[in-house]
Amino acid sequence: MNVLSVFLVREVYDATESVYGLIKACWTAGMLVGAWIAAAVIRRLDRDVQLAWMVMVCLAGVGLVCFGQGMPLFTVLLMVPLNLIGGMFNAGENTALGITVARRVPEAFRGRANAAVHGRLSAAQLIGFLLGGAMSAVMDVQVAFMAVGLISIAIVLACLPAIRRATRDESASTTSPAAKRELAGAAA
C-alpha cells in the first residue's frame, strides 16, 4: 500500500506533497496510540488464543481501512482519520505478534524466533512493494486499494476456522474453576 498511496493521494486526489506527508504521518501517529491501546488490551488477555483473535480483528480492521481508502472520497482529508485508524489496527497486529512470540518461545530462543518472524515480515514487505508497483501498472489505484482490503478480509475468513478450533481445543483442555473445586473436594 505504501507504493499505491503515493498515486492515490497525488494523482487521484491531486493533493500536495504536504497533504501526502500529513496523511502518512497519521498512520504513524495511529500506531503510537494503537500500541498503547493494544498493550492495555493484552494485559487483560491470559490465553494465547485470545492474541490470535486480536491479530485477526486487527488484520480485518486494516483491510477495512484499505477498502475505505479505495472508495471514492469527496475529499482527500477523509484519509486522515482512515490512516489514524489503520495505524492503530496495524500497531495492534504488531504488538499481539510480539507478545505471542514472547509468551510462546523460551527465553533462550527468543532472539532466533524474532529474527525468523521479522525476516519473513521484511520479505513480505518487499514482495508487497513489488506487487504494489505491478498493481499500479495494471489496475486503477482505487480498485487496487479495495482489492487489497478484500484480500485482507479473505485471509481473516480463511484463518477463522483454525482459530475457532484452537479456541475449542483450549477450552476443552482447561478445566473450569467450579470443576476444579469439585475435583479437589472429591480428592479430600
Side-chain angles (χ1 to χ4, degrees):
M1 300 319 309
N2 290 332
V3 173
L4 293 172
S5 66
V6 174
F7 296 110
L8 182 67
V9 173
R10 297 282 292 134
E11 292 180 6
V12 173
Y13 292 106
D14 198 31
T16 65
E17 293 90 357
S18 300
V19 171
Y20 174 75
L22 170 68
I23 289 169
K24 292 309 287 180
C26 286
W27 190 278
T28 304
M31 287 187 73
L32 289 170
V33 172
W36 285 331
I37 293 169
V41 169
I42 289 171
R43 273 191 214 107
R44 292 177 175 84
L45 305 179
D46 55 350
R47 296 178 10 224
D48 292 340
V49 74
Q50 293 170 319
L51 289 172
W53 282 109
M54 183 175 171
V55 169
M56 290 298 109
V57 166
C58 290
L59 179 59
V62 169
L64 288 172
V65 166
C66 286
F67 187 83
Q69 288 179 347
M71 298 297 291
L73 304 173
F74 64 87
T75 177
V76 71
L77 294 178
L78 285 175
M79 290 185 68
V80 168
L82 284 173
N83 275 271
L84 283 168
I85 294 166
M88 290 191 298
F89 280 123
N90 187 210
E93 281 181 86
N94 294 342
T95 305
L97 180 61
I99 296 298
T100 300
V101 170
R103 281 186 184 180
R104 307 240 353 150
V105 176
E107 188 175 352
F109 300 106
R110 282 190 196 143
R112 246 186 260 169
N114 279 317
V117 168
H118 292 291
R120 285 170 177 79
L121 289 175
S122 294
Q125 189 173 18
L126 288 174
I127 293 168
F129 286 142
L130 176 69
L131 292 176
M135 288 174 79
S136 70
V138 297
M139 67 174 59
D140 180 63
V141 175
Q142 289 178 295
V143 172
F145 263 88
M146 290 189 289
V148 168
L150 291 174
I151 290 168
S152 297
I153 293 167
I155 290 169
V156 170
L157 293 174
C159 292
L160 285 181
I163 295 173
R164 291 178 70 195
R165 191 170 38 256
T167 303
R168 277 194 315 270
D169 293 347
E170 187 177 90
S171 295
S173 68
T174 59
T175 309
S176 70
K180 285 182 183 178
R181 283 192 299 273
E182 287 178 336
L183 289 174

PDB file of all heavy atoms in Angstrom, residues 7 23 26-27 32-33 40 43 47 49 58-59 63-64 79-80 91 106 114 130-131 136 139 145 153 158 179 181 183:
ATOM      1  N   PHE A   7       0.322   7.309  -5.382  1.00  0.00           N
ATOM      2  CA  PHE A   7      -0.511   7.556  -6.552  1.00  0.00           C
ATOM      3  C   PHE A   7      -1.922   7.966  -6.149  1.00  0.00           C
ATOM      4  O   PHE A   7      -2.534   8.825  -6.789  1.00  0.00           O
ATOM      5  CB  PHE A   7      -0.565   6.307  -7.441  1.00  0.00           C
ATOM      6  CG  PHE A   7       0.773   5.934  -8.016  1.00  0.00           C
ATOM      7  CD1 PHE A   7       1.430   4.799  -7.575  1.00  0.00           C
ATOM      8  CD2 PHE A   7       1.371   6.725  -8.980  1.00  0.00           C
ATOM      9  CE1 PHE A   7       2.658   4.450  -8.095  1.00  0.00           C
ATOM     10  CE2 PHE A   7       2.604   6.379  -9.507  1.00  0.00           C
ATOM     11  CZ  PHE A   7       3.252   5.243  -9.063  1.00  0.00           C
ATOM     12  N   ILE A  23      -0.991  12.811   5.679  1.00  0.00           N
ATOM     13  CA  ILE A  23      -1.704  11.530   5.664  1.00  0.00           C
ATOM     14  C   ILE A  23      -0.788  10.399   6.123  1.00  0.00           C
ATOM     15  O   ILE A  23      -1.184   9.551   6.935  1.00  0.00           O
ATOM     16  CB  ILE A  23      -2.293  11.267   4.263  1.00  0.00           C
ATOM     17  CG1 ILE A  23      -3.454  12.235   4.016  1.00  0.00           C
ATOM     18  CG2 ILE A  23      -2.750   9.826   4.115  1.00  0.00           C
ATOM     19  CD1 ILE A  23      -3.947  12.276   2.592  1.00  0.00           C
ATOM     20  N   CYS A  26      -0.173  10.457   9.800  1.00  0.00           N
ATOM     21  CA  CYS A  26      -1.327   9.998  10.584  1.00  0.00           C
ATOM     22  C   CYS A  26      -1.267   8.496  10.827  1.00  0.00           C
ATOM     23  O   CYS A  26      -1.686   8.022  11.887  1.00  0.00           O
ATOM     24  CB  CYS A  26      -2.626  10.384   9.896  1.00  0.00           C
ATOM     25  SG  CYS A  26      -2.978  12.136  10.039  1.00  0.00           S
ATOM     26  N   TRP A  27      -0.754   7.724   9.873  1.00  0.00           N
ATOM     27  CA  TRP A  27      -0.609   6.278  10.087  1.00  0.00           C
ATOM     28  C   TRP A  27       0.357   6.040  11.247  1.00  0.00           C
ATOM     29  O   TRP A  27       0.077   5.240  12.142  1.00  0.00           O
ATOM     30  CB  TRP A  27      -0.114   5.596   8.811  1.00  0.00           C
ATOM     31  CG  TRP A  27      -0.172   4.096   8.890  1.00  0.00           C
ATOM     32  CD1 TRP A  27       0.750   3.274   9.476  1.00  0.00           C
ATOM     33  CD2 TRP A  27      -1.206   3.248   8.409  1.00  0.00           C
ATOM     34  NE1 TRP A  27       0.356   1.963   9.376  1.00  0.00           N
ATOM     35  CE2 TRP A  27      -0.843   1.917   8.718  1.00  0.00           C
ATOM     36  CE3 TRP A  27      -2.393   3.482   7.733  1.00  0.00           C
ATOM     37  CZ2 TRP A  27      -1.635   0.833   8.379  1.00  0.00           C
ATOM     38  CZ3 TRP A  27      -3.173   2.397   7.389  1.00  0.00           C
ATOM     39  CH2 TRP A  27      -2.795   1.089   7.725  1.00  0.00           C
ATOM     40  N   LEU A  32       1.291   4.848  17.217  1.00  0.00           N
ATOM     41  CA  LEU A  32       1.677   5.205  18.592  1.00  0.00           C
ATOM     42  C   LEU A  32       0.510   5.007  19.550  1.00  0.00           C
ATOM     43  O   LEU A  32       0.652   4.370  20.601  1.00  0.00           O
ATOM     44  CB  LEU A  32       2.168   6.654  18.651  1.00  0.00           C
ATOM     45  CG  LEU A  32       3.512   6.941  18.018  1.00  0.00           C
ATOM     46  CD1 LEU A  32       3.761   8.436  17.939  1.00  0.00           C
ATOM     47  CD2 LEU A  32       4.625   6.251  18.801  1.00  0.00           C
ATOM     48  N   VAL A  33      -0.633   5.527  19.182  1.00  0.00           N
ATOM     49  CA  VAL A  33      -1.823   5.388  20.027  1.00  0.00           C
ATOM     50  C   VAL A  33      -2.243   3.925  20.098  1.00  0.00           C
ATOM     51  O   VAL A  33      -2.579   3.401  21.166  1.00  0.00           O
ATOM     52  CB  VAL A  33      -2.965   6.270  19.482  1.00  0.00           C
ATOM     53  CG1 VAL A  33      -4.264   6.013  20.220  1.00  0.00           C
ATOM     54  CG2 VAL A  33      -2.588   7.736  19.563  1.00  0.00           C
ATOM     55  N   ALA A  40      -2.735  -2.189  26.680  1.00  0.00           N
ATOM     56  CA  ALA A  40      -3.774  -2.239  27.713  1.00  0.00           C
ATOM     57  C   ALA A  40      -4.706  -3.434  27.500  1.00  0.00           C
ATOM     58  O   ALA A  40      -5.105  -4.104  28.456  1.00  0.00           O
ATOM     59  CB  ALA A  40      -4.572  -0.939  27.716  1.00  0.00           C
ATOM     60  N   ARG A  43      -2.879  -6.849  28.330  1.00  0.00           N
ATOM     61  CA  ARG A  43      -2.724  -7.111  29.775  1.00  0.00           C
ATOM     62  C   ARG A  43      -3.887  -7.921  30.319  1.00  0.00           C
ATOM     63  O   ARG A  43      -3.742  -8.649  31.281  1.00  0.00           O
ATOM     64  CB  ARG A  43      -2.638  -5.791  30.548  1.00  0.00           C
ATOM     65  CG  ARG A  43      -1.263  -5.259  30.643  1.00  0.00           C
ATOM     66  CD  ARG A  43      -1.191  -4.101  31.641  1.00  0.00           C
ATOM     67  NE  ARG A  43      -0.213  -3.162  31.145  1.00  0.00           N
ATOM     68  CZ  ARG A  43      -0.482  -1.979  30.618  1.00  0.00           C
ATOM     69  NH1 ARG A  43      -1.723  -1.537  30.555  1.00  0.00           N
ATOM     70  NH2 ARG A  43       0.471  -1.213  30.173  1.00  0.00           N
ATOM     71  N   ARG A  47      -4.918 -15.891  27.698  1.00  0.00           N
ATOM     72  CA  ARG A  47      -4.765 -17.082  26.846  1.00  0.00           C
ATOM     73  C   ARG A  47      -4.201 -16.677  25.492  1.00  0.00           C
ATOM     74  O   ARG A  47      -4.573 -15.651  24.928  1.00  0.00           O
ATOM     75  CB  ARG A  47      -6.123 -17.769  26.683  1.00  0.00           C
ATOM     76  CG  ARG A  47      -6.638 -18.291  28.013  1.00  0.00           C
ATOM     77  CD  ARG A  47      -8.005 -18.950  27.973  1.00  0.00           C
ATOM     78  NE  ARG A  47      -8.543 -19.196  26.676  1.00  0.00           N
ATOM     79  CZ  ARG A  47      -9.805 -18.951  26.347  1.00  0.00           C
ATOM     80  NH1 ARG A  47     -10.640 -18.451  27.224  1.00  0.00           N
ATOM     81  NH2 ARG A  47     -10.251 -19.224  25.142  1.00  0.00           N
ATOM     82  N   VAL A  49      -4.719 -17.955  22.593  1.00  0.00           N
ATOM     83  CA  VAL A  49      -5.692 -17.953  21.506  1.00  0.00           C
ATOM     84  C   VAL A  49      -6.398 -16.595  21.431  1.00  0.00           C
ATOM     85  O   VAL A  49      -6.808 -16.160  20.352  1.00  0.00           O
ATOM     86  CB  VAL A  49      -6.687 -19.129  21.642  1.00  0.00           C
ATOM     87  CG1 VAL A  49      -7.695 -18.883  22.744  1.00  0.00           C
ATOM     88  CG2 VAL A  49      -7.361 -19.419  20.319  1.00  0.00           C
ATOM     89  N   CYS A  58      -7.490  -7.130  14.138  1.00  0.00           N
ATOM     90  CA  CYS A  58      -6.667  -6.019  13.645  1.00  0.00           C
ATOM     91  C   CYS A  58      -6.402  -6.134  12.146  1.00  0.00           C
ATOM     92  O   CYS A  58      -6.430  -5.125  11.426  1.00  0.00           O
ATOM     93  CB  CYS A  58      -5.360  -5.941  14.429  1.00  0.00           C
ATOM     94  SG  CYS A  58      -5.586  -5.399  16.137  1.00  0.00           S
ATOM     95  N   LEU A  59      -6.165  -7.343  11.655  1.00  0.00           N
ATOM     96  CA  LEU A  59      -5.960  -7.532  10.221  1.00  0.00           C
ATOM     97  C   LEU A  59      -7.229  -7.175   9.444  1.00  0.00           C
ATOM     98  O   LEU A  59      -7.173  -6.518   8.404  1.00  0.00           O
ATOM     99  CB  LEU A  59      -5.531  -8.963   9.908  1.00  0.00           C
ATOM    100  CG  LEU A  59      -5.300  -9.289   8.432  1.00  0.00           C
ATOM    101  CD1 LEU A  59      -4.234  -8.393   7.828  1.00  0.00           C
ATOM    102  CD2 LEU A  59      -4.929 -10.753   8.264  1.00  0.00           C
ATOM    103  N   GLY A  63      -7.714  -4.194   6.731  1.00  0.00           N
ATOM    104  CA  GLY A  63      -8.357  -4.469   5.444  1.00  0.00           C
ATOM    105  C   GLY A  63      -9.519  -3.519   5.172  1.00  0.00           C
ATOM    106  O   GLY A  63      -9.673  -3.008   4.054  1.00  0.00           O
ATOM    107  N   LEU A  64     -10.330  -3.269   6.184  1.00  0.00           N
ATOM    108  CA  LEU A  64     -11.444  -2.333   6.015  1.00  0.00           C
ATOM    109  C   LEU A  64     -10.959  -0.920   5.733  1.00  0.00           C
ATOM    110  O   LEU A  64     -11.548  -0.196   4.921  1.00  0.00           O
ATOM    111  CB  LEU A  64     -12.346  -2.351   7.253  1.00  0.00           C
ATOM    112  CG  LEU A  64     -13.197  -3.594   7.434  1.00  0.00           C
ATOM    113  CD1 LEU A  64     -13.899  -3.576   8.794  1.00  0.00           C
ATOM    114  CD2 LEU A  64     -14.213  -3.714   6.310  1.00  0.00           C
ATOM    115  N   MET A  79      -8.908  10.792   4.332  1.00  0.00           N
ATOM    116  CA  MET A  79      -7.865   9.785   4.520  1.00  0.00           C
ATOM    117  C   MET A  79      -7.116   9.984   5.833  1.00  0.00           C
ATOM    118  O   MET A  79      -6.467   9.063   6.312  1.00  0.00           O
ATOM    119  CB  MET A  79      -6.903   9.797   3.338  1.00  0.00           C
ATOM    120  CG  MET A  79      -7.560   9.261   2.069  1.00  0.00           C
ATOM    121  SD  MET A  79      -6.446   9.131   0.701  1.00  0.00           S
ATOM    122  CE  MET A  79      -5.384   7.827   1.270  1.00  0.00           C
ATOM    123  N   VAL A  80      -7.207  11.169   6.418  1.00  0.00           N
ATOM    124  CA  VAL A  80      -6.539  11.420   7.703  1.00  0.00           C
ATOM    125  C   VAL A  80      -7.109  10.507   8.787  1.00  0.00           C
ATOM    126  O   VAL A  80      -6.363   9.747   9.413  1.00  0.00           O
ATOM    127  CB  VAL A  80      -6.623  12.918   8.084  1.00  0.00           C
ATOM    128  CG1 VAL A  80      -6.196  13.143   9.527  1.00  0.00           C
ATOM    129  CG2 VAL A  80      -5.760  13.745   7.139  1.00  0.00           C
ATOM    130  N   ALA A  91      -0.721  -1.326  14.653  1.00  0.00           N
ATOM    131  CA  ALA A  91       0.012  -1.458  15.909  1.00  0.00           C
ATOM    132  C   ALA A  91      -0.527  -2.612  16.742  1.00  0.00           C
ATOM    133  O   ALA A  91       0.241  -3.320  17.406  1.00  0.00           O
ATOM    134  CB  ALA A  91      -0.065  -0.161  16.706  1.00  0.00           C
ATOM    135  N   PRO A 106      10.651 -20.045  24.494  1.00  0.00           N
ATOM    136  CA  PRO A 106      11.517 -19.955  25.667  1.00  0.00           C
ATOM    137  C   PRO A 106      12.536 -18.817  25.500  1.00  0.00           C
ATOM    138  O   PRO A 106      12.981 -18.517  24.384  1.00  0.00           O
ATOM    139  CB  PRO A 106      12.223 -21.310  25.706  1.00  0.00           C
ATOM    140  CG  PRO A 106      11.351 -22.223  24.906  1.00  0.00           C
ATOM    141  CD  PRO A 106      10.676 -21.376  23.883  1.00  0.00           C
ATOM    142  N   ASN A 114      12.462 -14.159  16.982  1.00  0.00           N
ATOM    143  CA  ASN A 114      12.163 -12.813  16.492  1.00  0.00           C
ATOM    144  C   ASN A 114      12.826 -12.550  15.150  1.00  0.00           C
ATOM    145  O   ASN A 114      12.239 -11.922  14.267  1.00  0.00           O
ATOM    146  CB  ASN A 114      12.578 -11.757  17.515  1.00  0.00           C
ATOM    147  CG  ASN A 114      11.552 -11.598  18.611  1.00  0.00           C
ATOM    148  OD1 ASN A 114      10.356 -11.565  18.354  1.00  0.00           O
ATOM    149  ND2 ASN A 114      12.014 -11.514  19.847  1.00  0.00           N
ATOM    150  N   LEU A 130       6.801  -4.794  -4.538  1.00  0.00           N
ATOM    151  CA  LEU A 130       6.805  -5.286  -5.909  1.00  0.00           C
ATOM    152  C   LEU A 130       5.372  -5.411  -6.442  1.00  0.00           C
ATOM    153  O   LEU A 130       5.056  -4.944  -7.546  1.00  0.00           O
ATOM    154  CB  LEU A 130       7.515  -6.639  -5.981  1.00  0.00           C
ATOM    155  CG  LEU A 130       7.511  -7.319  -7.337  1.00  0.00           C
ATOM    156  CD1 LEU A 130       8.386  -6.548  -8.315  1.00  0.00           C
ATOM    157  CD2 LEU A 130       7.996  -8.756  -7.211  1.00  0.00           C
ATOM    158  N   LEU A 131       4.492  -6.019  -5.655  1.00  0.00           N
ATOM    159  CA  LEU A 131       3.102  -6.188  -6.080  1.00  0.00           C
ATOM    160  C   LEU A 131       2.384  -4.844  -6.204  1.00  0.00           C
ATOM    161  O   LEU A 131       1.561  -4.662  -7.101  1.00  0.00           O
ATOM    162  CB  LEU A 131       2.358  -7.103  -5.116  1.00  0.00           C
ATOM    163  CG  LEU A 131       2.789  -8.570  -5.119  1.00  0.00           C
ATOM    164  CD1 LEU A 131       2.043  -9.345  -4.047  1.00  0.00           C
ATOM    165  CD2 LEU A 131       2.578  -9.185  -6.480  1.00  0.00           C
ATOM    166  N   SER A 136      -0.229  -1.059  -9.679  1.00  0.00           N
ATOM    167  CA  SER A 136      -0.439   0.303 -10.190  1.00  0.00           C
ATOM    168  C   SER A 136      -0.317   0.349 -11.703  1.00  0.00           C
ATOM    169  O   SER A 136      -0.870   1.248 -12.338  1.00  0.00           O
ATOM    170  CB  SER A 136       0.541   1.268  -9.538  1.00  0.00           C
ATOM    171  OG  SER A 136       1.863   1.034  -9.995  1.00  0.00           O
ATOM    172  N   MET A 139      -3.975  -1.852 -12.928  1.00  0.00           N
ATOM    173  CA  MET A 139      -5.330  -1.523 -12.482  1.00  0.00           C
ATOM    174  C   MET A 139      -5.381  -0.136 -11.878  1.00  0.00           C
ATOM    175  O   MET A 139      -4.364   0.427 -11.500  1.00  0.00           O
ATOM    176  CB  MET A 139      -5.878  -2.574 -11.509  1.00  0.00           C
ATOM    177  CG  MET A 139      -5.199  -2.661 -10.179  1.00  0.00           C
ATOM    178  SD  MET A 139      -5.961  -3.802  -8.983  1.00  0.00           S
ATOM    179  CE  MET A 139      -5.918  -5.352  -9.793  1.00  0.00           C
ATOM    180  N   PHE A 145      -6.603  -0.585  -4.043  1.00  0.00           N
ATOM    181  CA  PHE A 145      -6.803  -0.449  -2.603  1.00  0.00           C
ATOM    182  C   PHE A 145      -7.960  -1.327  -2.137  1.00  0.00           C
ATOM    183  O   PHE A 145      -7.855  -2.029  -1.130  1.00  0.00           O
ATOM    184  CB  PHE A 145      -7.077   1.019  -2.231  1.00  0.00           C
ATOM    185  CG  PHE A 145      -5.866   1.755  -1.764  1.00  0.00           C
ATOM    186  CD1 PHE A 145      -5.037   2.387  -2.669  1.00  0.00           C
ATOM    187  CD2 PHE A 145      -5.537   1.814  -0.425  1.00  0.00           C
ATOM    188  CE1 PHE A 145      -3.915   3.072  -2.259  1.00  0.00           C
ATOM    189  CE2 PHE A 145      -4.418   2.492   0.010  1.00  0.00           C
ATOM    190  CZ  PHE A 145      -3.607   3.124  -0.916  1.00  0.00           C
ATOM    191  N   ILE A 153      -9.386  -9.204   4.261  1.00  0.00           N
ATOM    192  CA  ILE A 153     -10.571  -9.758   4.920  1.00  0.00           C
ATOM    193  C   ILE A 153     -10.732 -11.235   4.563  1.00  0.00           C
ATOM    194  O   ILE A 153     -11.097 -12.058   5.416  1.00  0.00           O
ATOM    195  CB  ILE A 153     -11.812  -8.926   4.558  1.00  0.00           C
ATOM    196  CG1 ILE A 153     -11.666  -7.526   5.177  1.00  0.00           C
ATOM    197  CG2 ILE A 153     -13.093  -9.598   5.031  1.00  0.00           C
ATOM    198  CD1 ILE A 153     -12.641  -6.505   4.674  1.00  0.00           C
ATOM    199  N   ALA A 158     -10.385 -17.011   6.036  1.00  0.00           N
ATOM    200  CA  ALA A 158      -9.747 -18.314   5.835  1.00  0.00           C
ATOM    201  C   ALA A 158      -9.108 -18.838   7.118  1.00  0.00           C
ATOM    202  O   ALA A 158      -9.057 -20.052   7.337  1.00  0.00           O
ATOM    203  CB  ALA A 158      -8.692 -18.215   4.735  1.00  0.00           C
ATOM    204  N   ALA A 179     -15.309 -26.902  38.309  1.00  0.00           N
ATOM    205  CA  ALA A 179     -14.929 -28.309  38.168  1.00  0.00           C
ATOM    206  C   ALA A 179     -13.671 -28.607  38.984  1.00  0.00           C
ATOM    207  O   ALA A 179     -13.545 -29.686  39.570  1.00  0.00           O
ATOM    208  CB  ALA A 179     -14.710 -28.651  36.705  1.00  0.00           C
ATOM    209  N   ARG A 181     -12.832 -27.170  41.801  1.00  0.00           N
ATOM    210  CA  ARG A 181     -13.242 -27.254  43.210  1.00  0.00           C
ATOM    211  C   ARG A 181     -13.897 -28.605  43.495  1.00  0.00           C
ATOM    212  O   ARG A 181     -13.681 -29.209  44.532  1.00  0.00           O
ATOM    213  CB  ARG A 181     -14.190 -26.118  43.553  1.00  0.00           C
ATOM    214  CG  ARG A 181     -13.485 -24.786  43.749  1.00  0.00           C
ATOM    215  CD  ARG A 181     -14.408 -23.737  44.365  1.00  0.00           C
ATOM    216  NE  ARG A 181     -15.572 -23.439  43.535  1.00  0.00           N
ATOM    217  CZ  ARG A 181     -15.592 -22.535  42.575  1.00  0.00           C
ATOM    218  NH1 ARG A 181     -14.545 -21.805  42.330  1.00  0.00           N
ATOM    219  NH2 ARG A 181     -16.682 -22.329  41.870  1.00  0.00           N
ATOM    220  N   LEU A 183     -13.316 -31.418  41.907  1.00  0.00           N
ATOM    221  CA  LEU A 183     -12.256 -32.423  41.912  1.00  0.00           C
ATOM    222  C   LEU A 183     -11.460 -32.387  43.195  1.00  0.00           C
ATOM    223  O   LEU A 183     -11.102 -33.431  43.764  1.00  0.00           O
ATOM    224  CB  LEU A 183     -11.320 -32.227  40.701  1.00  0.00           C
ATOM    225  CG  LEU A 183     -11.918 -32.581  39.341  1.00  0.00           C
ATOM    226  CD1 LEU A 183     -10.934 -32.197  38.231  1.00  0.00           C
ATOM    227  CD2 LEU A 183     -12.216 -34.061  39.264  1.00  0.00           C
TER     228      LEU A 183
END
